[in-house]
Every structure is written in C-alpha cells, then in structure tokens.
Amino acid sequence: MRRHFLALLAAGLLCAGGAARAADDQLFRALGGQRGIAGLMADFALRLKQDPVIGHYFDHTIAQGLADSLTEQIAAVSGGPVVYRGARMDKAHADLGIGRADFNRLVEVLQDTMDAHGVPFHTQNELLALLAPMYRQIVTR
C-alpha cells in the first residue's frame, strides 16, 4: 500500500517541469546533512549496481563516482549549501533507452535504501517530490 501511494505521488508530480530545489535547508538537515546524504547515496549506488532489474544500466559505472555525483545532486536539491555540477539529466540519460518501469524500479530502490537508513516517510516524500520532475529528462522510451 505504501509503495503504491508513493508511486501515485511520484506520478502526480511528473507534470512539473525541470529540477526542483527545496526552499530552505530543512530537508537537507532531515537527511543528515552532507554526511547523511553521502552515506545514503553510497548504499543506494551499490544497490543500483546489484539490482537484478536495472543493474545493467550501471555496469560501466564506478559505485563511488556514482555515489559522489548523487550526493552532490541530492544535497543541492534538498537545500544544502551545494551546487550540482554534474551532467544534465537529459544529456546523461539520452542514449540509455530508459523506460517508465526502469525509472519506477530506481525509485523503489531509493525508497528501500531510505527505509534501511531510517529516513522517515514524510522526508522520503519531500525528496521524491523534488526528484519527480526529472522523470521527463530521464525516461526516453
């Protein structure tokens, strides 16, 4: 039921354009600041690479490099004192042929990771709401 609700929440937010950013640093702090986000993203990157459904997308990705990039991105969108300097989502994913099911699986892996790290449900929802607009930039089929 919870997963279904979050999937509906994410789907409802897909109409928004471009990447969002938190208005203040409350979410950044709720995620544990730079250190908490780095730990969360290190685990997330490993889970992505090992995932039997979407792991193949990360075969040629170094886990630590992925974790570092994700940490910078999540810290920035969550209102932290960080500027994301990585690739634009549409450019980084253009040739991968990512579909809706792949994107949804990534969200599930992120939710599982946040659950494992004790991130509260409402904090997860806040983060997913900020990330949902990236759907249009990532899903190409």
Side-chain angles (χ1 to χ4, degrees), residues 68-127:
D68 291 346
S69 181
L70 290 169
T71 297
E72 185 176 272
Q73 187 174 42
I74 298 303
V77 301
S78 67
V82 176
V83 174
Y84 175 66
R85 291 168 278 166
R88 286 180 21 186
M89 293 298 98
D90 56 347
K91 299 286 185 196
H93 300 90
D95 298 330
L96 297 177
I98 296 172
R100 179 181 301 210
D102 302 321
F103 184 86
N104 290 344
R105 179 63 190 149
L106 181 134
V107 171
E108 290 173 3
V109 174
L110 177 57
Q111 291 172 300
D112 290 343
T113 306
M114 290 191 288
D115 284 343
H117 285 255
V119 176
F121 182 70
H122 68 277
T123 302
Q124 292 185 30
N125 283 342
E126 287 181 52
L127 180 59

Short mmCIF file of all heavy atoms in Angstrom, two decimals, residues 68-127:
data_model
loop_
_atom_site.label_atom_id
_atom_site.label_comp_id
_atom_site.label_asym_id
_atom_site.label_seq_id
_atom_site.Cartn_x
_atom_site.Cartn_y
_atom_site.Cartn_z
N ASP A 68 29.15 9.81 -5.37
CA ASP A 68 29.59 11.20 -5.22
C ASP A 68 28.70 12.15 -6.01
O ASP A 68 28.31 13.22 -5.52
CB ASP A 68 31.04 11.36 -5.65
CG ASP A 68 32.02 10.67 -4.71
OD1 ASP A 68 31.64 10.30 -3.58
OD2 ASP A 68 33.19 10.50 -5.12
N SER A 69 28.39 11.77 -7.24
CA SER A 69 27.54 12.61 -8.09
C SER A 69 26.13 12.72 -7.51
O SER A 69 25.55 13.81 -7.46
CB SER A 69 27.50 12.04 -9.51
OG SER A 69 26.71 12.84 -10.34
N LEU A 70 25.59 11.59 -7.07
CA LEU A 70 24.25 11.59 -6.46
C LEU A 70 24.24 12.40 -5.17
O LEU A 70 23.26 13.11 -4.90
CB LEU A 70 23.79 10.16 -6.19
CG LEU A 70 23.44 9.33 -7.42
CD1 LEU A 70 23.27 7.86 -7.04
CD2 LEU A 70 22.19 9.87 -8.10
N THR A 71 25.29 12.30 -4.39
CA THR A 71 25.38 13.07 -3.14
C THR A 71 25.32 14.56 -3.45
O THR A 71 24.58 15.30 -2.80
CB THR A 71 26.68 12.73 -2.38
OG1 THR A 71 26.63 11.35 -2.00
CG2 THR A 71 26.85 13.59 -1.14
N GLU A 72 26.09 15.00 -4.41
CA GLU A 72 26.10 16.41 -4.78
C GLU A 72 24.71 16.85 -5.26
O GLU A 72 24.22 17.91 -4.87
CB GLU A 72 27.14 16.64 -5.88
CG GLU A 72 27.33 18.09 -6.25
CD GLU A 72 28.44 18.28 -7.26
OE1 GLU A 72 29.60 18.44 -6.82
OE2 GLU A 72 28.15 18.25 -8.47
N GLN A 73 24.09 16.02 -6.08
CA GLN A 73 22.78 16.36 -6.62
C GLN A 73 21.71 16.40 -5.52
O GLN A 73 20.93 17.35 -5.44
CB GLN A 73 22.39 15.36 -7.70
CG GLN A 73 21.13 15.72 -8.43
CD GLN A 73 20.87 14.77 -9.57
OE1 GLN A 73 21.04 13.57 -9.44
NE2 GLN A 73 20.45 15.32 -10.70
N ILE A 74 21.68 15.40 -4.66
CA ILE A 74 20.67 15.35 -3.59
C ILE A 74 20.92 16.46 -2.58
O ILE A 74 19.97 17.10 -2.11
CB ILE A 74 20.66 13.96 -2.90
CG1 ILE A 74 20.30 12.86 -3.89
CG2 ILE A 74 19.72 13.97 -1.70
CD1 ILE A 74 18.97 13.04 -4.60
N ALA A 75 22.17 16.72 -2.25
CA ALA A 75 22.47 17.82 -1.32
C ALA A 75 22.00 19.15 -1.89
O ALA A 75 21.44 19.99 -1.18
CB ALA A 75 23.97 17.86 -1.02
N ALA A 76 22.18 19.34 -3.18
CA ALA A 76 21.77 20.60 -3.81
C ALA A 76 20.25 20.73 -3.84
O ALA A 76 19.70 21.76 -3.42
CB ALA A 76 22.34 20.70 -5.22
N VAL A 77 19.54 19.71 -4.32
CA VAL A 77 18.07 19.83 -4.43
C VAL A 77 17.39 19.88 -3.08
O VAL A 77 16.30 20.44 -2.96
CB VAL A 77 17.43 18.73 -5.31
CG1 VAL A 77 17.98 18.74 -6.72
CG2 VAL A 77 17.51 17.37 -4.69
N SER A 78 18.04 19.31 -2.06
CA SER A 78 17.42 19.30 -0.73
C SER A 78 17.67 20.59 0.05
O SER A 78 17.25 20.71 1.20
CB SER A 78 17.91 18.09 0.08
OG SER A 78 19.29 18.20 0.38
N GLY A 79 18.33 21.56 -0.57
CA GLY A 79 18.53 22.85 0.07
C GLY A 79 19.86 23.04 0.74
O GLY A 79 20.07 24.02 1.46
N GLY A 80 20.78 22.12 0.53
CA GLY A 80 22.09 22.24 1.14
C GLY A 80 22.95 23.29 0.46
O GLY A 80 22.62 23.76 -0.64
N PRO A 81 24.06 23.65 1.08
CA PRO A 81 24.95 24.68 0.53
C PRO A 81 25.87 24.10 -0.55
O PRO A 81 27.09 24.19 -0.47
CB PRO A 81 25.74 25.12 1.77
CG PRO A 81 25.83 23.88 2.59
CD PRO A 81 24.51 23.16 2.39
N VAL A 82 25.25 23.48 -1.55
CA VAL A 82 25.97 22.76 -2.59
C VAL A 82 25.41 23.14 -3.95
O VAL A 82 24.21 23.36 -4.09
CB VAL A 82 25.79 21.23 -2.38
CG1 VAL A 82 26.45 20.43 -3.48
CG2 VAL A 82 26.31 20.80 -1.02
N VAL A 83 26.28 23.21 -4.93
CA VAL A 83 25.86 23.43 -6.31
C VAL A 83 26.15 22.15 -7.08
O VAL A 83 27.27 21.65 -7.05
CB VAL A 83 26.62 24.62 -6.94
CG1 VAL A 83 26.28 24.75 -8.42
CG2 VAL A 83 26.32 25.90 -6.19
N TYR A 84 25.15 21.61 -7.74
CA TYR A 84 25.34 20.40 -8.54
C TYR A 84 26.05 20.78 -9.83
O TYR A 84 25.58 21.63 -10.58
CB TYR A 84 23.99 19.74 -8.84
CG TYR A 84 24.10 18.56 -9.77
CD1 TYR A 84 24.76 17.41 -9.37
CD2 TYR A 84 23.55 18.60 -11.05
CE1 TYR A 84 24.87 16.32 -10.23
CE2 TYR A 84 23.65 17.52 -11.90
CZ TYR A 84 24.31 16.39 -11.49
OH TYR A 84 24.43 15.31 -12.33
N ARG A 85 27.19 20.16 -10.07
CA ARG A 85 27.99 20.46 -11.26
C ARG A 85 28.04 19.30 -12.24
O ARG A 85 28.79 19.34 -13.21
CB ARG A 85 29.41 20.83 -10.84
CG ARG A 85 29.46 22.18 -10.11
CD ARG A 85 30.79 22.38 -9.47
NE ARG A 85 30.69 21.63 -8.21
CZ ARG A 85 31.68 21.29 -7.42
NH1 ARG A 85 32.88 21.61 -7.72
NH2 ARG A 85 31.49 20.61 -6.31
N GLY A 86 27.23 18.29 -11.98
CA GLY A 86 27.22 17.12 -12.86
C GLY A 86 26.48 17.37 -14.15
O GLY A 86 26.00 18.48 -14.43
N ALA A 87 26.39 16.32 -14.93
CA ALA A 87 25.73 16.39 -16.24
C ALA A 87 24.24 16.65 -16.08
O ALA A 87 23.63 16.26 -15.09
CB ALA A 87 25.95 15.08 -16.98
N ARG A 88 23.69 17.30 -17.10
CA ARG A 88 22.23 17.48 -17.15
C ARG A 88 21.60 16.11 -17.31
O ARG A 88 22.14 15.23 -17.98
CB ARG A 88 21.85 18.36 -18.33
CG ARG A 88 22.17 19.80 -18.14
CD ARG A 88 21.78 20.65 -19.31
NE ARG A 88 20.76 20.05 -20.16
CZ ARG A 88 20.36 20.56 -21.31
NH1 ARG A 88 20.86 21.69 -21.75
NH2 ARG A 88 19.43 19.95 -22.03
N MET A 89 20.45 15.91 -16.69
CA MET A 89 19.81 14.60 -16.70
C MET A 89 19.45 14.15 -18.11
O MET A 89 19.62 12.98 -18.46
CB MET A 89 18.56 14.59 -15.82
CG MET A 89 18.87 14.76 -14.33
SD MET A 89 19.89 13.43 -13.66
CE MET A 89 21.51 14.15 -13.69
N ASP A 90 18.98 15.05 -18.96
CA ASP A 90 18.62 14.64 -20.31
C ASP A 90 19.84 14.22 -21.11
O ASP A 90 19.80 13.24 -21.86
CB ASP A 90 17.83 15.73 -21.03
CG ASP A 90 18.55 17.07 -21.11
OD1 ASP A 90 19.56 17.29 -20.41
OD2 ASP A 90 18.08 17.94 -21.89
N LYS A 91 20.95 14.89 -20.94
CA LYS A 91 22.18 14.53 -21.65
C LYS A 91 22.77 13.22 -21.12
O LYS A 91 23.20 12.37 -21.88
CB LYS A 91 23.22 15.64 -21.53
CG LYS A 91 22.80 16.95 -22.10
CD LYS A 91 22.83 16.90 -23.60
CE LYS A 91 22.51 18.30 -24.14
NZ LYS A 91 22.15 18.26 -25.54
N ALA A 92 22.77 13.05 -19.82
CA ALA A 92 23.37 11.87 -19.20
C ALA A 92 22.60 10.59 -19.51
O ALA A 92 23.19 9.51 -19.52
CB ALA A 92 23.46 12.06 -17.69
N HIS A 93 21.31 10.71 -19.79
CA HIS A 93 20.48 9.52 -19.98
C HIS A 93 19.95 9.35 -21.40
O HIS A 93 19.23 8.39 -21.68
CB HIS A 93 19.31 9.55 -18.99
CG HIS A 93 19.75 9.59 -17.57
ND1 HIS A 93 19.98 10.75 -16.89
CD2 HIS A 93 20.04 8.58 -16.70
CE1 HIS A 93 20.39 10.46 -15.66
NE2 HIS A 93 20.43 9.16 -15.52
N ALA A 94 20.30 10.23 -22.30
CA ALA A 94 19.73 10.26 -23.64
C ALA A 94 19.87 8.94 -24.40
O ALA A 94 18.93 8.52 -25.08
CB ALA A 94 20.36 11.40 -24.45
N ASP A 95 20.99 8.29 -24.31
CA ASP A 95 21.25 7.08 -25.11
C ASP A 95 20.98 5.77 -24.37
O ASP A 95 21.32 4.70 -24.88
CB ASP A 95 22.70 7.10 -25.59
CG ASP A 95 23.00 8.28 -26.49
OD1 ASP A 95 22.08 8.75 -27.19
OD2 ASP A 95 24.16 8.74 -26.49
N LEU A 96 20.38 5.85 -23.21
CA LEU A 96 20.20 4.64 -22.40
C LEU A 96 18.89 3.91 -22.65
O LEU A 96 18.75 2.75 -22.26
CB LEU A 96 20.34 4.98 -20.91
CG LEU A 96 21.70 5.52 -20.49
CD1 LEU A 96 21.70 5.89 -19.02
CD2 LEU A 96 22.80 4.51 -20.79
N GLY A 97 17.93 4.56 -23.26
CA GLY A 97 16.65 3.91 -23.52
C GLY A 97 15.91 3.52 -22.26
O GLY A 97 15.33 2.43 -22.17
N ILE A 98 15.88 4.40 -21.30
CA ILE A 98 15.23 4.13 -20.02
C ILE A 98 13.72 4.28 -20.17
O ILE A 98 13.23 5.29 -20.68
CB ILE A 98 15.77 5.08 -18.92
CG1 ILE A 98 17.26 4.78 -18.70
CG2 ILE A 98 14.97 4.92 -17.62
CD1 ILE A 98 17.95 5.76 -17.79
N GLY A 99 13.00 3.27 -19.72
CA GLY A 99 11.54 3.29 -19.76
C GLY A 99 10.94 3.59 -18.40
O GLY A 99 11.64 3.68 -17.39
N ARG A 100 9.64 3.71 -18.39
CA ARG A 100 8.89 4.02 -17.16
C ARG A 100 9.14 2.98 -16.07
O ARG A 100 9.35 3.32 -14.91
CB ARG A 100 7.41 4.12 -17.47
CG ARG A 100 6.55 4.42 -16.26
CD ARG A 100 5.11 4.48 -16.62
NE ARG A 100 4.95 5.52 -17.63
CZ ARG A 100 3.86 6.23 -17.79
NH1 ARG A 100 2.81 6.00 -17.04
NH2 ARG A 100 3.79 7.15 -18.70
N ALA A 101 9.11 1.71 -16.44
CA ALA A 101 9.31 0.65 -15.45
C ALA A 101 10.71 0.73 -14.83
O ALA A 101 10.88 0.49 -13.63
CB ALA A 101 9.09 -0.72 -16.08
N ASP A 102 11.71 1.08 -15.66
CA ASP A 102 13.07 1.23 -15.15
C ASP A 102 13.13 2.37 -14.14
O ASP A 102 13.75 2.24 -13.08
CB ASP A 102 14.05 1.54 -16.29
CG ASP A 102 14.07 0.48 -17.37
OD1 ASP A 102 13.99 -0.72 -17.02
OD2 ASP A 102 14.16 0.84 -18.55
N PHE A 103 12.52 3.48 -14.49
CA PHE A 103 12.51 4.64 -13.59
C PHE A 103 11.80 4.28 -12.29
O PHE A 103 12.29 4.59 -11.20
CB PHE A 103 11.82 5.83 -14.27
CG PHE A 103 11.85 7.09 -13.46
CD1 PHE A 103 12.94 7.95 -13.52
CD2 PHE A 103 10.79 7.44 -12.64
CE1 PHE A 103 12.97 9.12 -12.79
CE2 PHE A 103 10.81 8.61 -11.89
CZ PHE A 103 11.90 9.45 -11.97
N ASN A 104 10.66 3.62 -12.40
CA ASN A 104 9.91 3.22 -11.20
C ASN A 104 10.73 2.29 -10.32
O ASN A 104 10.68 2.37 -9.10
CB ASN A 104 8.58 2.57 -11.59
CG ASN A 104 7.60 3.56 -12.17
OD1 ASN A 104 7.76 4.77 -12.04
ND2 ASN A 104 6.60 3.05 -12.85
N ARG A 105 11.50 1.40 -10.95
CA ARG A 105 12.34 0.49 -10.17
C ARG A 105 13.42 1.26 -9.42
O ARG A 105 13.71 0.98 -8.26
CB ARG A 105 12.97 -0.58 -11.08
CG ARG A 105 13.87 -1.53 -10.35
CD ARG A 105 13.11 -2.35 -9.30
NE ARG A 105 14.06 -3.08 -8.47
CZ ARG A 105 13.86 -3.39 -7.20
NH1 ARG A 105 12.72 -3.07 -6.61
NH2 ARG A 105 14.77 -4.03 -6.53
N LEU A 106 14.01 2.27 -10.08
CA LEU A 106 15.02 3.09 -9.41
C LEU A 106 14.41 3.77 -8.19
O LEU A 106 15.02 3.82 -7.12
CB LEU A 106 15.58 4.14 -10.37
CG LEU A 106 16.67 5.01 -9.75
CD1 LEU A 106 17.84 5.13 -10.69
CD2 LEU A 106 16.12 6.38 -9.40
N VAL A 107 13.18 4.27 -8.33
CA VAL A 107 12.50 4.90 -7.19
C VAL A 107 12.30 3.89 -6.07
O VAL A 107 12.51 4.20 -4.90
CB VAL A 107 11.16 5.54 -7.63
CG1 VAL A 107 10.35 6.02 -6.42
CG2 VAL A 107 11.41 6.70 -8.59
N GLU A 108 11.93 2.66 -6.42
CA GLU A 108 11.76 1.62 -5.41
C GLU A 108 13.07 1.33 -4.67
O GLU A 108 13.07 1.17 -3.45
CB GLU A 108 11.25 0.32 -6.05
CG GLU A 108 9.82 0.40 -6.53
CD GLU A 108 9.40 -0.84 -7.30
OE1 GLU A 108 10.21 -1.80 -7.41
OE2 GLU A 108 8.27 -0.85 -7.80
N VAL A 109 14.16 1.27 -5.43
CA VAL A 109 15.46 1.02 -4.80
C VAL A 109 15.83 2.19 -3.88
O VAL A 109 16.34 1.98 -2.78
CB VAL A 109 16.56 0.78 -5.87
CG1 VAL A 109 17.94 0.68 -5.23
CG2 VAL A 109 16.24 -0.47 -6.68
N LEU A 110 15.53 3.40 -4.32
CA LEU A 110 15.79 4.57 -3.46
C LEU A 110 14.95 4.50 -2.19
O LEU A 110 15.46 4.74 -1.09
CB LEU A 110 15.53 5.87 -4.22
CG LEU A 110 15.69 7.16 -3.43
CD1 LEU A 110 17.10 7.28 -2.84
CD2 LEU A 110 15.38 8.36 -4.33
N GLN A 111 13.68 4.14 -2.32
CA GLN A 111 12.81 4.02 -1.15
C GLN A 111 13.32 2.93 -0.20
O GLN A 111 13.35 3.15 1.02
CB GLN A 111 11.38 3.70 -1.58
CG GLN A 111 10.71 4.87 -2.27
CD GLN A 111 9.38 4.44 -2.86
OE1 GLN A 111 9.34 3.54 -3.69
NE2 GLN A 111 8.32 5.06 -2.41
N ASP A 112 13.72 1.79 -0.76
CA ASP A 112 14.26 0.72 0.09
C ASP A 112 15.51 1.18 0.83
O ASP A 112 15.71 0.86 2.00
CB ASP A 112 14.59 -0.52 -0.76
CG ASP A 112 13.36 -1.23 -1.28
OD1 ASP A 112 12.25 -1.00 -0.77
OD2 ASP A 112 13.52 -2.04 -2.24
N THR A 113 16.35 1.94 0.13
CA THR A 113 17.58 2.45 0.74
C THR A 113 17.24 3.42 1.86
O THR A 113 17.82 3.35 2.95
CB THR A 113 18.46 3.14 -0.32
OG1 THR A 113 18.70 2.23 -1.40
CG2 THR A 113 19.79 3.58 0.28
N MET A 114 16.30 4.32 1.60
CA MET A 114 15.91 5.29 2.64
C MET A 114 15.29 4.57 3.83
O MET A 114 15.55 4.94 4.98
CB MET A 114 14.98 6.35 2.06
CG MET A 114 15.69 7.29 1.10
SD MET A 114 14.74 8.76 0.61
CE MET A 114 13.51 8.04 -0.47
N ASP A 115 14.47 3.54 3.57
CA ASP A 115 13.89 2.75 4.66
C ASP A 115 15.00 2.12 5.51
O ASP A 115 14.95 2.16 6.74
CB ASP A 115 13.00 1.62 4.11
CG ASP A 115 11.64 2.11 3.63
OD1 ASP A 115 11.23 3.23 3.97
OD2 ASP A 115 11.00 1.33 2.89
N ALA A 116 15.99 1.55 4.84
CA ALA A 116 17.09 0.89 5.55
C ALA A 116 17.90 1.86 6.40
O ALA A 116 18.48 1.47 7.40
CB ALA A 116 18.02 0.19 4.54
N HIS A 117 17.89 3.13 6.00
CA HIS A 117 18.62 4.16 6.75
C HIS A 117 17.73 4.91 7.73
O HIS A 117 18.17 5.88 8.34
CB HIS A 117 19.29 5.13 5.77
CG HIS A 117 20.49 4.54 5.10
ND1 HIS A 117 21.77 4.88 5.44
CD2 HIS A 117 20.60 3.59 4.14
CE1 HIS A 117 22.62 4.19 4.70
NE2 HIS A 117 21.93 3.40 3.91
N GLY A 118 16.49 4.47 7.88
CA GLY A 118 15.59 5.07 8.85
C GLY A 118 15.08 6.45 8.48
O GLY A 118 14.69 7.22 9.35
N VAL A 119 15.06 6.77 7.18
CA VAL A 119 14.54 8.07 6.75
C VAL A 119 13.03 8.04 6.90
O VAL A 119 12.36 7.15 6.35
CB VAL A 119 14.94 8.38 5.29
CG1 VAL A 119 14.32 9.69 4.81
CG2 VAL A 119 16.46 8.42 5.14
N PRO A 120 12.46 8.98 7.65
CA PRO A 120 11.01 8.99 7.86
C PRO A 120 10.23 9.12 6.55
O PRO A 120 10.70 9.73 5.59
CB PRO A 120 10.78 10.21 8.76
CG PRO A 120 12.11 10.47 9.39
CD PRO A 120 13.13 10.06 8.38
N PHE A 121 9.04 8.56 6.56
CA PHE A 121 8.16 8.54 5.39
C PHE A 121 7.94 9.94 4.82
O PHE A 121 8.05 10.15 3.61
CB PHE A 121 6.82 7.90 5.78
CG PHE A 121 5.84 7.77 4.67
CD1 PHE A 121 6.07 6.87 3.64
CD2 PHE A 121 4.68 8.52 4.65
CE1 PHE A 121 5.15 6.73 2.61
CE2 PHE A 121 3.76 8.39 3.62
CZ PHE A 121 4.00 7.49 2.61
N HIS A 122 7.65 10.93 5.66
CA HIS A 122 7.38 12.28 5.16
C HIS A 122 8.63 12.91 4.54
O HIS A 122 8.54 13.66 3.58
CB HIS A 122 6.79 13.18 6.26
CG HIS A 122 7.74 13.52 7.36
ND1 HIS A 122 7.97 12.66 8.42
CD2 HIS A 122 8.53 14.59 7.56
CE1 HIS A 122 8.86 13.21 9.23
NE2 HIS A 122 9.23 14.37 8.73
N THR A 123 9.80 12.57 5.06
CA THR A 123 11.05 13.06 4.48
C THR A 123 11.29 12.42 3.13
O THR A 123 11.72 13.09 2.17
CB THR A 123 12.22 12.79 5.45
OG1 THR A 123 11.95 13.41 6.71
CG2 THR A 123 13.54 13.32 4.90
N GLN A 124 10.99 11.13 3.02
CA GLN A 124 11.10 10.45 1.73
C GLN A 124 10.20 11.13 0.70
O GLN A 124 10.61 11.37 -0.44
CB GLN A 124 10.70 8.98 1.86
CG GLN A 124 11.67 8.15 2.66
CD GLN A 124 11.29 6.68 2.67
OE1 GLN A 124 10.70 6.16 1.72
NE2 GLN A 124 11.66 5.98 3.75
N ASN A 125 8.97 11.43 1.10
CA ASN A 125 8.02 12.08 0.19
C ASN A 125 8.53 13.44 -0.27
O ASN A 125 8.37 13.81 -1.44
CB ASN A 125 6.65 12.23 0.84
CG ASN A 125 5.89 10.93 0.87
OD1 ASN A 125 6.20 9.99 0.14
ND2 ASN A 125 4.89 10.87 1.73
N GLU A 126 9.11 14.20 0.64
CA GLU A 126 9.65 15.51 0.27
C GLU A 126 10.74 15.38 -0.78
O GLU A 126 10.78 16.14 -1.75
CB GLU A 126 10.21 16.23 1.50
CG GLU A 126 9.16 16.76 2.45
CD GLU A 126 9.81 17.48 3.63
OE1 GLU A 126 10.65 18.37 3.38
OE2 GLU A 126 9.48 17.13 4.77
N LEU A 127 11.64 14.43 -0.57
CA LEU A 127 12.72 14.23 -1.52
C LEU A 127 12.18 13.75 -2.87
O LEU A 127 12.56 14.28 -3.92
CB LEU A 127 13.76 13.24 -0.98
CG LEU A 127 14.94 12.97 -1.92
CD1 LEU A 127 15.70 14.26 -2.24
CD2 LEU A 127 15.86 11.93 -1.31
#
